[in-house]
Amino acid sequence: MLKNSRKSGPCFASRFSLRTCRLALVVFVAVGTSGCSRPSRVEQVARGEAVDPDTFLHEHLQGVPMVTVGEAYRALLLLADGDEKTHSFEERQAELQARGLVRAVWNLQREQPIDRGSVAFMVLRIIQGPRGVNSLVWGNLGLGDRRYALRDLVHMGLIGPGGPDKYLTGGELVFLMGKADKYMADRGRYPSEKVDLRKELAGPAASTRPAD
């Protein structure tokens, strides 16, 4: 079968001209290129923006088959801050870029699904996780930054193996956020409450002190 396939192909059969072969190649490239474009999920991201943070995390995200850029931005700022401080995609994008968690050259669009590499890049920097040599050297130069960030998260056991261009489901993002949250909590990355030592010393224990 394999040795005869060359004869059966249109570009190798004598009855087809060179012009036909070139036309077929142009059509193939055009179809392949159009198939690589990201789908747009306008209604989905709008629904996510319309609900409160708790509903967004525990109900909305759990049901989406592909997380959009807008949804990922909101979710990861909630992971970073523990509270909602921004209220629009533009505000979130500006905040993430200002913190160095997103790079403008990526040209991510609000309604498009986000890839694993971009999410890994943001999460790794939010949790201040350890970075490999490639991530530190080439990633800082913008060369393979998201790919190496994903590799670092896989090495840490926070996310499963898979290509950096693959899309995330809502459930996968929530699961990753849970692991990232635990990672930060275990390492004291969250600010602790200040203790007023004067109140502690003047508390109930002070009344049990023996009299002079």
Side-chain angles (χ1 to χ4, degrees):
M1 292 291 292
L2 185 59
K3 65 181 180 180
N4 293 330
S5 62
R6 181 183 178 102
K7 294 181 181 179
S8 61
C11 290
F12 296 100
S14 59
R15 65 178 180 273
F16 287 98
S17 65
L18 182 60
R19 181 180 178 183
T20 305
C21 295
R22 289 175 177 169
L23 179 60
L25 180 60
V26 170
V27 172
F28 173 78
V29 172
V31 171
T33 303
S34 64
C36 293
S37 61
R38 294 189 176 190
S40 181
R41 311 181 76 86
V42 179
E43 294 182 2
Q44 175 184 309
V45 69
R47 288 197 304 270
E49 291 173 345
V51 296
D52 61 84
D54 285 339
T55 303
F56 171 72
L57 289 175
H58 302 297
E59 296 181 22
H60 173 80
L61 274 185
Q62 296 282 2
V64 300
M66 293 182 186
V67 179
T68 63
V69 172
E71 291 164 329
Y73 282 6
R74 184 182 186 188
L76 294 179
L77 275 174
L78 284 169
L79 173 66
D81 299 338
D83 195 9
E84 188 110 274
K85 299 180 180 180
T86 53
H87 302 284
S88 71
F89 174 76
E90 290 74 21
E91 288 181 6
R92 292 170 187 134
Q93 184 177 57
E95 183 65 24
L96 289 167
Q97 290 180 0
R99 299 187 194 187
L101 303 179
V102 169
R103 290 178 171 166
V105 294
W106 295 348
N107 194 31
L108 300 181
Q109 303 298 313
R110 169 178 170 267
E111 301 87 3
Q112 292 178 341
I114 196 165
D115 57 86
R116 286 161 48 94
S118 298
V119 170
F121 184 95
M122 289 186 274
V123 170
L124 187 63
R125 279 154 180 75
I126 288 171
I127 68 175
Q128 302 175 30
R131 299 166 61 190
V133 175
N134 286 328
S135 182
L136 288 169
V137 177
W138 302 111
N140 285 342
L141 295 175
L143 302 175
D145 46 9
R146 290 174 281 183
R147 182 173 73 253
Y148 292 128
L150 177 60
R151 189 176 298 177
D152 291 336
L153 279 194
V154 171
H155 181 73
M156 294 168 63
L158 297 188
I159 194 172
D165 296 327
K166 184 180 178 183
Y167 300 144
L168 278 174
T169 67
E172 288 173 331
L173 178 58
V174 172
F175 187 70
L176 171 59
M177 290 175 64
K179 284 194 166 187
D181 178 77
K182 185 178 185 303
Y183 178 90
M184 289 192 290
D186 290 346
R187 287 157 181 78
R189 299 288 165 81
Y190 290 121
S192 57
E193 294 184 3
K194 294 182 179 180
V195 177
D196 190 332
L197 294 179
R198 290 172 299 179
K199 288 185 178 181
E200 291 294 319
L201 293 174
S207 62
T208 62
R209 186 175 55 189
D212 294 334

